[in-house]
Amino acid sequence: MTDSRTITVYSREDCHLCEDALAAIDRVAEAVATPVEVHEVDVDTDPELQETYGERVPYVLVDDRPRYKFRVDEADLRRRLATDEEPNESNPHDLRS
């Protein structure tokens, strides 16, 4: 199993969905044994990010893989952080690039 996990949240200021997603991630990170590093990236600080994500925030990557857009499923995230399993093709939370 991986020593630590990384979650990247593309967000913007004054975004209630972003705040909700970060709160959900914090709750799950506190509940799992695996160390979790959370990085928040404000898309409005970079024109390229702003163009890429637009209003499509929060956009959440787990270990550099897109996983959630708009809302974080806490049960799904808990399972992902507790295991090293690959994404389930039938999982509606998986995002494909």
Side-chain angles (χ1 to χ4, degrees):
M1 184 159 345
T2 309
D3 291 335
S4 70
R5 308 298 292 272
T6 302
I7 298 177
T8 305
V9 181
Y10 290 94
S11 65
R12 65 173 23 99
E13 283 188 39
D14 301 321
C15 168
H16 75 280
L17 290 177
C18 299
E19 293 169 8
D20 292 348
L22 287 163
I25 292 165
D26 286 344
R27 284 190 296 272
V28 171
E30 290 177 10
V32 297
T34 305
V36 178
E37 291 182 42
V38 179
H39 303 280
E40 185 177 3
V41 179
D42 184 343
V43 299
D44 292 328
T45 62
D46 181 324
E48 279 188 43
L49 291 175
Q50 196 171 25
E51 184 176 323
T52 299
Y53 294 100
E55 296 298 319
R56 209 172 42 138
V57 293
Y59 195 84
V60 180
L61 284 68
V62 177
D63 296 329
D64 297 322
R65 292 182 176 174
R67 295 296 182 229
Y68 310 101
K69 181 172 59 173
F70 303 127
R71 301 203 186 280
V72 173
D73 179 321
E74 290 186 46
D76 182 71
L77 180 58
R78 188 175 295 108
R79 179 189 55 77
R80 286 182 186 283
L81 295 178
T83 66
D84 278 340
E85 69 185 62
E86 287 298 311
N88 180 342
E89 292 297 327
S90 64
N91 187 332
H93 303 289
D94 283 337
L95 300 176
R96 303 289 184 230
S97 300

